[in-house]
Amino acid sequence: MAMIMKKPMNELLKQVDAFTESALKGNPAAVCFLEKEHERNDSWLQSLAAEFHLLMTCFLISITGSDLLNPPCFFL
């Protein structure tokens, strides 16, 4: 069964190496930057995490804007 999305997904999705300072070491983890104005329920978040096939997925939601002097802050 295909899921039909009513709005395009503008989130940024990345895979990172967690708990290491070197590439290709540590634990792979998914990081998803979500837009604040789009509320996501637990079922949607779990479905997105399952798409990565990784043990860990982190969802970040921006709580502040950013500029050169003030880096953005996120809900984790």
Side-chain angles (χ1 to χ4, degrees):
M1 173 184 232
M3 180 178 158
I4 299 172
M5 298 190 70
K6 295 180 182 178
K7 294 182 180 180
M9 193 171 117
N10 295 323
E11 284 76 27
L12 177 64
L13 311 171
K14 294 288 184 181
Q15 183 174 334
V16 300
D17 294 320
F19 310 114
T20 185
E21 294 181 7
S22 301
L24 305 175
K25 295 187 178 179
N27 298 339
V31 178
C32 306
F33 295 90
L34 304 177
E35 295 177 352
K36 186 175 183 176
E37 53 272 0
H38 297 293
E39 290 295 322
R40 306 295 188 191
N41 62 30
D42 289 344
S43 176
W44 187 90
L45 295 172
Q46 290 173 352
S47 295
L48 179 59
E51 288 292 319
F52 284 102
H53 302 286
L54 298 173
L55 293 177
M56 296 190 182
T57 302
C58 174
F59 298 98
L60 300 175
I61 301 171
S62 178
I63 57 174
T64 63
S66 63
D67 57 40
L68 293 174
L69 298 176
N70 300 306
C73 295
F74 296 92
F75 281 120
L76 176 62

